[in-house]
Amino acid sequence: MCQLKAIENGCRHIDTAISSLSGGTSHPPTESMVAALRDTEYDSKLDLSALQDIGFYFHEIRKKYHQFESEFTGLDTRVQNNQVPGGMISNLSNQLKDQGALEHMNAVLEEIPRVRTDLGYPPLVTPTSQIVGTQALLNVLSESRYQTITNEVKLYLQGKYGKPPAEVNTNVRRQAIGNESVITCRPADLLTPEMARLRSDIGEIAESDEDVLTYAMFPDIGRDFLEQRRDGTLEPEALEPPPGDSQDYCVAATEFNVSLHGETYHIKVTGTGHKMQEKRAFYINVDGTPEEVSVESLDAVLTNGGTDTPQISSGKGSSRLKATAPGHVTTSMPGIIVEVLVVEGDQVSAGDPILVTEAMKMETEVQAPIAGTIKAVHVQKGDSVNPDEALVEIE
């Protein structure tokens, strides 16, 4: 309806998507718009039958990527209230799903307009949509709003993304940047030329200016990508078998013998705990004696039930300690370690930055919860981390 009215009022070009990839957070279907405009003064003259063949083709292709589907990419009328762009909803959904906190989605969608008000109504387009969405997610997952503030929000409140359309919440700005001055000029005027340095840093693995810009925006991931491309070692992410595929079925033993240090034990699995639990209980008989064991998955493979090599899949578990003590430094959401700012033996005060993590393309400083001495550092640059893990220990 929106596109039709736009055309009637003089719009000459519209964005659509083939039907099998349209709707919800995507564009309207191409075939529907072609049919709606047929035999009118706005007739596109496109071949509807050919477009339908394309739609059927991608309908089958889409099944291969079912693991990336989201229940939040369909029609959702709440967008009229929260004004969240489609790409944002997909990212938020995946982050919450990874953390096992998808039930907080409604709370995040309700928090986004509040954060947007606090930040002076930035437009929900890249990159400020991501800035607002990530901060809303942190506000929901943290014990209190703005307990954790991303570096991008701090830069935004300093004026480094330009002047906000409206007044920002002064309390939030003070909490984020303290008494630091706010930029009133054009932020780009404060930047020094750096293209020459970037070309020198990345060297010959950059084959074009676009490669240099990739490195500039994503220094670590960009360098890894360019090096793997040069070495011919780039590999696509493993895809899960489509639901209902005949190869989904594989045989799993429930009774077997285990030999350990020369001793053989007869094992029979009699029951299991819920498969979605972080630590899953298995109930077994060992030589006829009932036992209970707890299994925490640290890595996994996707089997296809045949003789092919299993596909590698990232495990959700972790070998790190669970954060339980006041001096255990942890993070609010899954992410990647961008920088470790301390080493064992350092003295820190409460609130000092300890780590920098990246999640949903936003960087966040992780601060010391207490004052003390760094007892242990359990992470390094590039590590994947999850909430409730003890990343650094302070005593």
Side-chain angles (χ1 to χ4, degrees), residues 115-122 131-132 153 156-157 164 167-168 172:
V115 172
R116 193 176 180 217
T117 300
D118 290 338
L119 299 185
Y121 296 98
I131 293 173
V132 171
V153 167
Y156 171 88
L157 291 172
E167 290 296 319
V168 303
V172 172

Side-chain angles (χ1 to χ4, degrees), residues 321-337:
L321 295 172
K322 188 176 181 65
T324 55
H328 286 172
V329 179
T330 187
T331 182
S332 300
M333 60 193 298
I336 304 293
I337 297 294

Side-chain angles (χ1 to χ4, degrees), residues 93-112:
S93 172
N94 289 334
Q95 286 288 332
L96 289 170
K97 182 178 179 181
D98 288 342
Q99 192 166 335
L102 198 55
E103 69 273 12
H104 295 301
M105 183 55 141
N106 287 340
V108 174
L109 294 178
E110 292 173 359
E111 176 67 8
I112 284 174

